[in-house]
Amino acid sequence: MSLQLGDIAPNFNASTTVGDIDFHEYLGDSWGVLFSHPADFTPVCTTELGRTAKLKGEFSKRNVKVLAVSVDSLVKHHHWVEDINQTQQCEVDFPIIADENRVVANLYGMIHPNASETFTVRSLFVIGPDKKVKLTITYPASTGRNFNEVLRVIDSLQLTANYSVATPADWNEGEKVIVVPSITTEDALLKFPKGVDVIKPYLRYTPQPNL
Ligand code: BEZ
């Protein structure tokens, strides 16, 4: 069965472009993003890794460590990083895991045989400091991921982990949020001193509480 939300993200040891790692040790108390791409020296993947490198400041602001993985060798990864840096005007300094034996790909269900027997699809896992899986997304090889969306979801995950709120459709940092159904409006008014807007008994908004 594939990994599900709330499962412990499987640990592994791996060779990466920044040295050998124990995944859980590497994450430490940080959040993690582990994402696979089909293969080195491919165009969409080149743009994805470049974009990730350019978002370094955004990930570190959110206390997130990013790791990429594909079933290519470490030597290939190192050569490809030179191309990514050159073509995307960036500096890739996050680890790219060399998963030639598909250990990570199999642990995380990143090979979807009906899409490709050989290559990993574009899987992405957000992992919390408790090492539990908080988000999974899967894109086909032909579609590059939206990294603004990845950051947006991390903002929601981090906010909702700390407050009794959920985020509505298309929410972005700074916008009003939803009071979770499990708390009464009476309690919500105490918890959220900025106010609670009751549209329906089950649909209640409050300004983002951590701002
Ligand atoms: C790419 O990253 O560009 C790519 C990889 C596999 C299939 C199609 C596109």
Side-chain angles (χ1 to χ4, degrees), residues 96-138:
I96 308 176
I97 296 166
D99 193 34
E100 282 179 291
N101 296 326
R102 302 178 171 199
V103 172
V104 179
N106 287 331
L107 275 174
Y108 282 79
M110 291 165 166
I111 293 179
H112 295 199
N114 291 325
S116 166
E117 292 277 359
T118 326
F119 299 122
T120 41
V121 293
R122 298 187 197 283
S123 298
L124 185 147
F125 298 83
V126 176
I127 296 156
D130 57 2
K131 307 289 180 294
K132 289 186 180 168
V133 175
K134 306 295 181 188
L135 172 86
T136 66
I137 58 173
T138 308

Side-chain angles (χ1 to χ4, degrees), residues 174-203:
E175 296 174 359
K176 64 187 179 179
V177 297
I178 284 174
V179 177
V180 293
S182 58
I183 63 170
T184 63
T185 298
E186 197 182 11
D187 286 347
L189 287 164
L190 295 173
K191 266 181 189 275
F192 304 115
K194 291 179 195 163
V196 176
D197 188 11
V198 181
I199 309 297
K200 293 276 183 191
Y202 61 84
L203 178 60

Side-chain angles (χ1 to χ4, degrees), residues 153-175:
V153 178
I154 290 169
D155 285 340
S156 172
L157 291 170
Q158 294 185 338
L159 177 70
T160 59
N162 291 317
Y163 296 89
S164 302
V165 297
T167 57
D170 297 334
W171 173 86
N172 281 299
E173 176 77 7
E175 296 174 359

Side-chain angles (χ1 to χ4, degrees), residues 23 35 42 44 64 69 84 93 98 110 113 131 151 161 176 192 198 202 207:
F23 181 52
F35 69 113
T42 51
V44 177
V64 177
V69 57
I84 301 170
D93 64 359
M110 291 165 166
K131 307 289 180 294
L151 292 173
K176 64 187 179 179
F192 304 115
V198 181
Y202 61 84

